């Protein structure tokens, strides 16, 4: 089947062409006739040029689920560097077992253990100025003032051993201000472990705790008594380990815990601390080993990630294989689908790895263009699966969300394009590795879908329906997601005429502003003559962090076709800029948008 009235291709899929950036003679074309092939639009700026690589992290698992390795994209240039050392934070109520687990973590991972409690106790026993100030707070079971502790911690973290061996921060941050102080210095752990122990157990653990002043080892009169009488004789009790003080420390902990963990939501791992210390450590060990493995893998960076934009542009030209041809042939071949899945995936990963959190992917090849009768929901689902599984392979918990029925009563309903989507997602093959239900979850769009353990959210084609606006739900969801990535796949957030006025809830300006807050990390659009879907005149492509590339499709005498790069733009080009590029005209910066773009640009 063809996407339009295009002649059926009788030849097999042609080989793909390496991209060249040579100037080409201006083609003859009616400048007023080009249009984007779909009506959604939004403005966004971007940066350097395109390139292709396969993430070393992303293609390991789930190979039976889909073909995520495209053999044509092999030959990735990578840079191997020494992996960064582990950075770990451990938190939990008083006596939850932080110190005990830290002993085991240090033995296994060799990290520098920085315990604010120990640092403060040292200051107290040495009788320093800091110690004298801290003593009264500690003895009362209160927090020592932030500025004292923060100065102490940042000084310790900046020492060479911590930089080289990695660190294990125990007992800091203990207030939101302390967490923010680290954020401001860009000091962020790889993982935030919270030991969870019921209150009644904590009191017994504190009251029975004994410390060996010689070795620093932690004992407990019942749970972990010392091996010899000699050790037993020298054990001491901490001044703040009375029942009354423990209760006060616990109260302080509870008051601050939620605010602190909000800073580390995406890297938080809660562990049941009411088990034997060996079993608890098994969990911690496997978590840290995984983080370390991921860090090592990530240190094999695509060389392009760290290059300047200019270098990106030039070094990638000979790597990228160019836009695939025969895009009007439907169904798209597996190779073409994989090309686009890879292209989108790599751009998305780069953006997420760069810390971008509000992202959108817009791709409208015929099978993904709901304006066309060849639109296939299956292709959209496959694309979503590739992206979700790839992030899951990296250890992220991904929630894939589809909007549910919107509105009430007679106005209830959902966009036709999304009907059945959630069911399809639930029944899809998510691989043999148990990703579904653990690393991949399916949900709908809304704030209540945002769980603490979710690391990121992929929203499938969120869109307004006639009379119903998705933006309020989206906004509530992104607010709840905080600084976790939210990726919109083919959003359609423009206003639709509504009889109910529901579309007006948030105010148009606010809606547009919100919709525009999502940064494009991937954009691909085919260009046609206005009002037609055949022939394809060219294409615009942008992959994060890259410029918008304008390509012209040309027929070759052999009956094949190819795409030739015409121009690049730092922001999405207007239709006038596209027409000028096709005509070989110099850029006219003052020119106003006109024609169909003039209409589209007013619509999100
Ligand atoms: P700090 O020393 O950090 O005390 P804490 O957070 O109250 O924690 P603990 O050291 O009491 O317990 P833990 O979780 O390490 O448990 P442990 O392994 O020892 O801080 C003390 C004070 O300093 C604070 O109150 C504050 O005043 C000040 N301070 C510190 N940091 C600060 C900051 N950032 N800002 C401001 N002020 C700050 O285990 C406890 C007992 O249980 C032991 O006897 C152990 O043997 C036993 N045990 C451990 N694991 C198990 C297990 N799995 N099963 C059975 N028993 C176990």
């Amino acid at each position: 089947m063809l996407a339009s009235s295009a002649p059926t291709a009788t030849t097999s899929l042609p080989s793909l062409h390496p991209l060249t950036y040579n100037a080409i003679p201006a083609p003859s074309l009616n400048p007023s006739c080009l249009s984007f092939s779909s009506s959604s639009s939004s403005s966004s700026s971007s940066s350097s040029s395109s390139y292709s690589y396969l993430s070393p992290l992303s293609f390991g698992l789930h190979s039976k689920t889909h073909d995520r390795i495209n053999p044509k994209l092999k030959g990735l240039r990578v840079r191997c560097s020494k992996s960064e050392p582990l950075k770990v934070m451990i938190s939990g109520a008083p006596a939850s077992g932080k110190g005990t687990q830290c002993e085991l973590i240090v033995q296994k991972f060799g990290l520098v253990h920085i315990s604010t409690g120990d640092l403060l106790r040292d200051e107290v026993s040495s009788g320093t100025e800091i110690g004298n100030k801290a003593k009264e707070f500690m003895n009362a079971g209160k927090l020592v003032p932030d500025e004292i502790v923060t100065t102490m911690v940042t000084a310790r973290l900046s020492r060479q051993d911590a930089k080289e061996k990695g660190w294990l921060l125990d007992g800091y941050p203990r207030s939101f201000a302390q967490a923010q102080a680290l954020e401001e210095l860009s000091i962020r752990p790889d993982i935030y472990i919270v030991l969870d122990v019921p209150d009644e157990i904590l009191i017994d653990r504190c009251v029975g705790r004994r410390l060996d002043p010689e070795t620093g080892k932690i004992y407990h009169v019942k749970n972990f008594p010392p091996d010899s009488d000699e050790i037993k004789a020298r054990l001491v009790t901490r001044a703040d380990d009375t029942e009354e003080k423990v209760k006060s420390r616990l109260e302080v902990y509870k008051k601050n815990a939620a605010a602190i963990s909000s800073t580390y939501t995406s890297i938080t791992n809660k562990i049941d601390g009411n088990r034997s210390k060996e079993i608890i450590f098994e969990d911690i060990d496997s978590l840290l080993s995984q983080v370390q493995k991921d860090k090592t893998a990530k240190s094999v960076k695509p060389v392009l990630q760290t290059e300047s934009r200019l270098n990106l542009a030039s070094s990638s030209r000979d790597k990228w294989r160019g836009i695939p041809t025969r895009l009007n042939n439907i169904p798209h071949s597996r190779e073409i689908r994989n090309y686009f899945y890879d292209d989108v995936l790599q751009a998305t990963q780069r953006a997420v790895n760069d810390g971008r959190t509000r992202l959108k992917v817009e791709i409208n090849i015929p099978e993904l263009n709901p304006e066309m009768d060849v639109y296939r929901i299956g292709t959209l689902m496959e694309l979503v699966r590739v992206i979700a599984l790839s992030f899951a392979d990296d250890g992220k918990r991904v929630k894939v969300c589809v909007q549910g029925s919107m509105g009430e009563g007679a106005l209830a309903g959902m966009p036709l394009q999304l009907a059945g989507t959630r069911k399809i997602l639930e029944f899809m093959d998510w691989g043999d590795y148990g990703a579904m239900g653990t690393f991949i979850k399916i949900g709908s769009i809304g704030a209540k879908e945002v769980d603490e353990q979710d690391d990121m959210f992929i929203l499938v084609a969120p869109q307004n329906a006639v009379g119903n606006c998705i933006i309020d739900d989206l906004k509530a969801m992104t607010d709840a997601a905080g600084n976790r990535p939210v990726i919109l796949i083919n959003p359609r957030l423009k206003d639709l005429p509504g009889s109910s006025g529901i579309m007006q809830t948030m105010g148009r300006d606010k809606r547009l502003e919100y919709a525009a807050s999502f940064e494009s990390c991937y954009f691909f659009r085919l260009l046609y003559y206005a009002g037609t879907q055949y022939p394809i005149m060219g294409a615009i492509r942008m992959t994060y962090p890259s410029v918008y590339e304008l390509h012209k499709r040309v027929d070759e005498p052999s009956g094949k076709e190819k795409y030739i790069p015409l121009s690049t733009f730092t922001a999405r080009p207007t239709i006038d800029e596209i027409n000028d590029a096709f005509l070989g005209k110099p850029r006219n910066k003052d020119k106003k948008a006109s024609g169909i773009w003039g209409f589209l640009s007013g619509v999100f």
Side-chain angles (χ1 to χ4, degrees):
M1 183 182 173
L2 287 175
S4 65
S5 54
T8 310
T10 49
T11 51
S12 59
L13 198 79
S15 61
L16 298 162
H17 309 276
L19 181 64
T20 57
Y21 271 66
N22 301 331
I24 61 153
S28 67
L29 186 75
N30 177 351
S32 63
C33 291
L34 276 178
S35 79
F36 288 134
S37 62
S38 109
S39 59
S40 67
S41 95
S42 66
S43 66
S44 144
S45 60
S46 68
S47 38
S48 71
S49 187
S50 60
Y51 51 95
S52 290
Y53 69 93
L54 289 177
S55 159
L57 296 172
S58 309
F59 296 90
L61 299 178
H62 315 291
S63 55
K64 286 186 189 162
T65 313
H66 52 261
D67 299 339
R68 278 186 286 161
I69 298 180
N70 186 332
K72 295 217 171 193
L73 289 176
K74 275 184 182 165
L76 160 71
R77 286 201 298 154
V78 295
R79 168 181 293 156
C80 297
S81 62
K82 199 169 159 243
S83 78
E84 273 212 356
L86 269 181
K87 294 174 282 184
V88 181
M89 266 183 196
I90 189 159
S91 168
S96 54
K98 300 182 292 294
T100 304
Q101 292 302 322
C102 285
E103 282 179 11
L104 301 169
I105 295 170
V106 169
Q107 266 171 31
K108 167 91 193 264
F109 294 92
L111 306 176
V112 173
H113 179 207
I114 304 171
S115 154
T116 43
D118 288 348
L119 290 177
L120 287 168
R121 278 185 287 276
D122 284 350
E123 299 283 344
V124 172
S125 60
S126 309
T128 64
E129 199 183 327
I130 287 183
N132 291 336
K133 274 191 195 154
K135 195 174 175 178
E136 55 182 294
F137 294 96
M138 294 173 77
N139 285 345
K142 290 183 182 160
L143 290 185
V144 174
D146 289 337
E147 53 281 11
I148 295 180
V149 193
T150 299
T151 312
M152 226 169 55
V153 167
T154 49
R156 185 65 192 88
L157 283 170
S158 66
R159 279 175 36 193
Q160 203 54 29
D161 58 344
K163 285 184 184 163
E164 278 170 10
K165 296 181 187 166
W167 43 260
L168 171 60
L169 199 45
D170 162 12
Y172 188 100
R174 261 188 158 97
S175 67
F176 185 66
Q178 290 182 12
Q180 289 310 301
L182 289 191
E183 288 287 291
E184 274 161 29
L185 294 168
S186 297
I187 300 173
R188 219 178 148 71
D190 302 310
I191 185 166
Y192 182 71
I193 295 173
V194 181
L195 295 176
D196 191 25
V197 178
D199 292 0
E200 60 279 9
I201 308 272
L202 295 171
I203 296 179
D204 173 65
R205 282 196 193 175
C206 260
V207 175
R209 170 169 42 200
R210 299 292 181 270
L211 300 177
D212 182 343
E214 272 182 30
T215 61
K217 276 193 77 138
I218 304 165
Y219 294 94
H220 188 278
V221 286
K222 283 184 285 174
N223 303 341
F224 307 113
D227 296 334
S228 68
D229 287 345
E230 190 193 342
I231 299 176
K232 194 174 172 188
R234 65 179 187 234
L235 293 183
V236 294
T237 307
R238 263 171 51 175
D240 58 352
D241 272 349
T242 64
E243 187 168 341
E244 189 195 349
K245 285 175 189 170
V246 176
K247 282 183 178 160
S248 155
R249 283 157 57 198
L250 189 54
E251 209 174 295
V252 172
Y253 170 77
K254 285 185 174 169
K255 218 169 76 192
N256 290 295
I260 300 165
S261 28
S262 69
T263 311
Y264 302 112
T265 317
S266 60
I267 49 167
T268 296
N269 279 272
K270 206 181 228 181
I271 289 184
D272 177 2
N274 190 20
R275 298 172 294 165
S276 81
K277 68 176 180 181
E278 292 79 13
I279 299 285
I280 298 169
F281 181 66
E282 270 177 28
D283 281 1
I284 294 181
D285 185 12
S286 72
L287 274 173
L288 297 191
S289 301
Q290 185 59 47
V291 174
Q292 196 165 49
K293 213 167 108 197
D294 289 351
K295 285 185 77 128
T296 309
K298 271 184 187 148
S299 69
V300 182
K301 280 189 186 135
V303 71
L304 295 166
Q305 262 182 341
T306 51
E307 301 288 347
S308 72
R309 289 173 177 189
L310 212 61
N311 289 343
L312 281 175
S314 55
S315 63
S316 63
R317 282 173 202 163
D318 53 345
K319 293 283 160 201
W320 185 54
R321 67 184 200 177
I323 290 175
T325 53
R326 301 288 173 201
L327 288 174
N328 259 350
N329 282 17
I330 303 297
H332 292 321
S333 67
R334 175 178 285 274
E335 189 185 36
I336 283 181
R337 292 204 309 274
N338 284 340
Y339 164 88
F340 283 107
Y341 299 157
D342 287 340
D343 216 25
V344 173
L345 173 63
Q346 289 157 29
T348 312
Q349 282 193 330
R350 286 191 293 266
V352 170
N353 289 343
D354 274 2
R356 307 300 173 124
T357 55
R358 296 289 170 267
L359 296 167
K360 65 180 168 192
V361 166
E362 293 169 284
I363 169 170
N364 87 331
I365 53 174
E367 279 190 6
L368 287 174
N369 183 354
E371 310 279 311
M372 289 185 157
D373 56 4
V374 295
Y375 174 75
R376 275 184 74 219
I377 190 77
T379 305
L380 181 66
M381 298 297 99
E382 264 186 352
L383 172 66
V384 167
R385 179 172 62 184
V386 167
I387 300 172
L389 281 176
S390 166
F391 282 104
D393 287 355
D394 287 354
K396 297 206 164 63
R397 290 169 199 270
V398 184
K399 187 163 273 174
V400 178
C401 302
V402 189
Q403 68 198 65
S405 180
M406 300 189 293
E408 285 172 2
L411 291 171
M414 70 191 305
L416 197 57
Q417 188 206 339
L418 293 175
T421 305
R422 182 162 176 160
K423 278 267 164 295
I424 300 173
L425 281 170
E426 282 166 356
F427 288 117
M428 263 171 103
D429 173 9
W430 288 93
D432 302 332
Y433 301 89
M436 183 49 138
T438 53
F439 286 95
I440 306 278
K441 290 204 170 131
I442 311 293
S444 41
I445 292 178
K448 67 176 178 357
E449 290 291 338
V450 178
D451 292 326
E452 206 182 302
Q453 66 270 21
D454 298 327
D455 292 324
M456 61 188 295
F457 306 86
I458 296 178
L459 276 45
V460 184
Q463 54 193 279
N464 295 320
V466 173
N468 286 313
C469 183
I470 187 68
I471 292 191
D472 281 342
D473 286 340
L474 257 185
K475 170 100 175 47
M477 185 167 191
T478 46
D479 285 350
N483 57 8
R484 289 173 275 178
V486 177
I487 304 166
L488 312 184
I489 310 289
N490 278 358
R492 291 158 67 83
L493 302 181
K494 64 180 183 178
D495 285 358
L496 289 178
S499 55
S500 62
I502 288 173
M503 191 68 79
Q504 308 308 324
T505 39
M506 202 168 129
R508 190 163 190 274
D509 288 353
K510 282 243 170 327
R511 287 200 304 278
L512 293 180
E513 191 189 321
Y514 172 72
S517 67
F518 286 83
E519 176 185 7
S520 268
C521 66
Y522 186 84
F523 182 87
F524 186 91
R525 186 166 289 178
L526 290 172
L527 299 170
Y528 301 91
Y529 281 113
T532 71
Q533 289 173 348
Y534 179 80
I536 296 171
M537 299 308 300
I540 300 179
R541 171 179 177 265
M542 189 283 285
T543 67
Y544 178 92
S546 174
V547 289
Y548 285 80
E549 306 153 356
L550 174 62
H551 302 265
K552 180 181 185 291
R553 190 192 67 83
V554 291
D555 290 312
E556 292 191 299
S558 57
K560 291 181 179 174
E561 62 179 11
K562 67 178 175 185
Y563 285 82
I564 304 175
L566 277 187
S567 193
T568 58
F569 304 85
T570 52
R572 188 178 305 178
T574 64
I575 193 65
D576 285 338
E577 287 172 325
I578 293 168
N579 283 326
D580 286 351
F582 268 76
L583 288 168
K585 282 191 191 168
R587 299 262 172 99
N588 180 356
K589 290 200 169 60
D590 301 329
K591 210 166 174 176
K592 294 225 166 56
S594 64
I596 188 134
W597 175 256
F599 162 68
L600 286 172
S601 58
V603 174
F604 183 76

